[in-house]
Amino acid sequence: MMSQMAHHAMLLIVVVGVLSITTSGTPVASARRHPLDPLSAAEITAVRTAVLASRLVPARPLRFHYVGLDEPDKPDVLAYAYGYGAGGSSSRALAPRRAFVIARAGGQSHEFRVDVTNASSPSVLSHAVHRGTGFPTITLEEQFAAQALAPAYPPFADSMRSRGLRLDDVICSVLPVGWFGGAGAGARRVAKMQCFVAGATANYYARPIEGVTLVVDLDRMAVVGFRDRVAYPVPKAEGTEYRAGKAGPPLAGPAPAPGVVVQPEGRGFHIDGHVVRWANWEFHVGFDVRAGMVISLASVHDEDAGLRRRVLYRGFVSEIFVPYMDPAEEWYYRTFLDAGEFDLGLWAYPLQPGADCLANAAYLDGYSADQDGNPVKVRNVMCVFERYAGDVAWRHTESGFPSQLITEVRPDVSLVVRMVVSAGNYDYILDWEFKTSGSINFVVSLTGILEMKATSYTHADEITADAHGTLVSENTLAIYHDHYVTYHLDLDIDGTNNSFVKNIITTRRNTGNPATGGADTPRRSYWTLRREVAETEADGQVDVNAGPPADLLFVNPGKKTRMGNEVGYRLIPAGATAGSVLADDDYPQRRASYSKKQVWVTPYNKSEKWASGLYADQSTGDDSLAAWSKRNRGIRGEDIVLWYTLGLHHIPYQEDFPMMPTLSGGFELRPSNFFERNPILRTRSPSPSRGGHSPNCSRNV
Ligand SMILES: *[C@@H]1O[C@H](CO)[C@@H](O)[C@H](O)[C@H]1NC(C)=O
Ligand SMILES: *[C@@H]1O[C@H](CO)[C@@H](O)[C@H](O)[C@H]1NC(C)=O
Ligand SMILES: [Cu+2]
């Protein structure tokens, strides 16, 4: 993760002081709001007003680092959404609208809870000072301010001059320092800066000024450290561009034909506020500055039972951990926690219609607060579209009848909800794909620009010691690193009472004895299932690459199918299942120690949302998923949460330069004894002639 400040200024539309005024003078919040709707611009403004008016924290300046919905307690939300809840009121009365705020003032991190139910008279409900380790996210404004310090710092200016570089061609990135022992709670809030030469290219990441590091005190906003260690040639600008027209002439060779999506009867989904209804699915799409897209209250209609059934209470990306693998002075600390140090939602930009999302997509806007607490709107930050990808939902050709061939095929259509996070150099395309079969596919596609290091090498043959990366261009090493994308998935399979079950594949010898499951036949072995129900959090930790093969399920022990099987959903990890291979005692590993296992299961706790802790910048790991799990709480027959980490070891290759083609990984949550039978058996194939003609459709007859 690096910063790309110039683009923020252009793309974000700052909504300064917008108060939604209603003619009758009734409060803004009286508009129909779903309890999980993100804070509106008017609510963010109300939060700002209340915090600044409060006498609890007189110190100024007061800077807002997080402003987001403090969601109502789960029973209240369930009561609203489904008309009932565990212990909650059974009315659909609107829960109070509350915000959670983290602000810095007087060198301390302050937490506020603010009631904005009536946006014209907001009130601070509580205030606390964070006394533990770690700091809130680094704001955009702090990054701008830090960047401006570099050229004005004489030793830096001298260094640039001595390297023959023009100061106005230099762009610096603000990078979190990580944690490498010591201080903890007494630490200073600092960041480092590494700089690049832009000038002739938009791809300044490819032109690092290796060896120069600045340290900035973020609270005082002053340079407090400077190192000028080594000088390598700055890699050339030639061949680094990616902008159309600047990256060279278009390919002359064979190209795919242009295509469009035609939906002659219009979209098949409906968006009502933040609630999306499509085919058998219904869910709420929210936006949070830290997590970005948040999916809540996903339920699926069961046609056979005539019921809407609950699948997921709330799901979002909790953290993206990206450790680099070069121990050098300028690189050792690059062990990013993109959500906790930078905010994923802050780096999500307007999607490009027809390119980022299909032409038939609908878009949703997002709001966050700037450092002064004013609302900032990001247009088209999420999109929703139906995907007709040419895949098959199910099919069969029956050739067993002598005089008849039976073929039944159902095309697969799914609904995609998408957000793209451009975390400085890297872009993450984050998809939730809902399928009529009841499955949810999660896909992360990586693209963008690698993090590169200047070197004296111009050919791989010159490399004698470990270079910690791949030589992707002259004087340019792309450094080895990992990506760990951690999802918080509060599954509620048919209710909140769930258990985590492992169906473990176990090899058996054929004993020949029917009493022990054997048979008097020549077969020597077979596999069967050993079913384990996780009792405590320790049983909920799984390295999917270790041990015997197993299906991992969330089941509802109180709900059975007509056949007597427990209803459930299973997790299907796919492809990207890397686990961290760093030493357990290495500092970044201690901060994100959950990255060694893909699966963790914890009891639901409203305040356990962020896998690397609420205060992730300079965190020590004491407030993290692995630390919570050490309490070893009971998880059998409880309201439990699945944490899944999709991991990739990234060895860069030359094709990843200067711009990386997308590389995807994902996993699936799939109904497993949830329905009585294939829930899409009775779907019909859309007739090609229905609702219009297909101009270029041909077939051999
Ligand atoms: C969950 O369901 C099981 C089976 O019906 C029951 O024994 C258990 O007490 C329930 N747990 C809670 C917390 O209600
Ligand atoms: C909920 O989580 C917070 C933060 O980890 C913790 O302090 C609190 O004790 C937890 N509550 C329960 C009931 O486990
Ligand atoms: Cu990568």
mmCIF file of all heavy atoms in Angstrom, residues 104 337 560:
data_model
loop_
_atom_site.group_PDB
_atom_site.id
_atom_site.type_symbol
_atom_site.label_atom_id
_atom_site.label_comp_id
_atom_site.label_asym_id
_atom_site.label_seq_id
_atom_site.Cartn_x
_atom_site.Cartn_y
_atom_site.Cartn_z
ATOM 1 N N ARG A 104 -8.410 12.106 17.279
ATOM 2 C CA ARG A 104 -7.144 12.409 17.959
ATOM 3 C C ARG A 104 -7.185 13.861 18.409
ATOM 4 O O ARG A 104 -7.566 14.749 17.633
ATOM 5 C CB ARG A 104 -5.944 12.251 17.022
ATOM 6 C CG ARG A 104 -5.598 10.841 16.627
ATOM 7 C CD ARG A 104 -4.828 10.051 17.653
ATOM 8 N NE ARG A 104 -3.490 10.560 17.969
ATOM 9 C CZ ARG A 104 -2.735 10.065 18.954
ATOM 10 N NH1 ARG A 104 -3.193 9.087 19.722
ATOM 11 N NH2 ARG A 104 -1.537 10.564 19.176
ATOM 12 N N LEU A 337 -1.164 -3.345 7.004
ATOM 13 C CA LEU A 337 -2.507 -3.776 7.397
ATOM 14 C C LEU A 337 -3.434 -2.747 6.747
ATOM 15 O O LEU A 337 -3.706 -1.691 7.308
ATOM 16 C CB LEU A 337 -2.644 -3.770 8.927
ATOM 17 C CG LEU A 337 -1.730 -4.766 9.654
ATOM 18 C CD1 LEU A 337 -1.683 -4.473 11.150
ATOM 19 C CD2 LEU A 337 -2.191 -6.203 9.410
ATOM 20 N N LYS A 560 -33.411 -29.545 11.359
ATOM 21 C CA LYS A 560 -33.060 -30.689 10.528
ATOM 22 C C LYS A 560 -33.922 -30.729 9.274
ATOM 23 O O LYS A 560 -35.042 -30.222 9.258
ATOM 24 C CB LYS A 560 -33.240 -31.987 11.318
ATOM 25 C CG LYS A 560 -32.254 -32.129 12.466
ATOM 26 C CD LYS A 560 -32.106 -33.581 12.895
ATOM 27 C CE LYS A 560 -30.867 -33.808 13.725
ATOM 28 N NZ LYS A 560 -30.994 -33.380 15.121
#
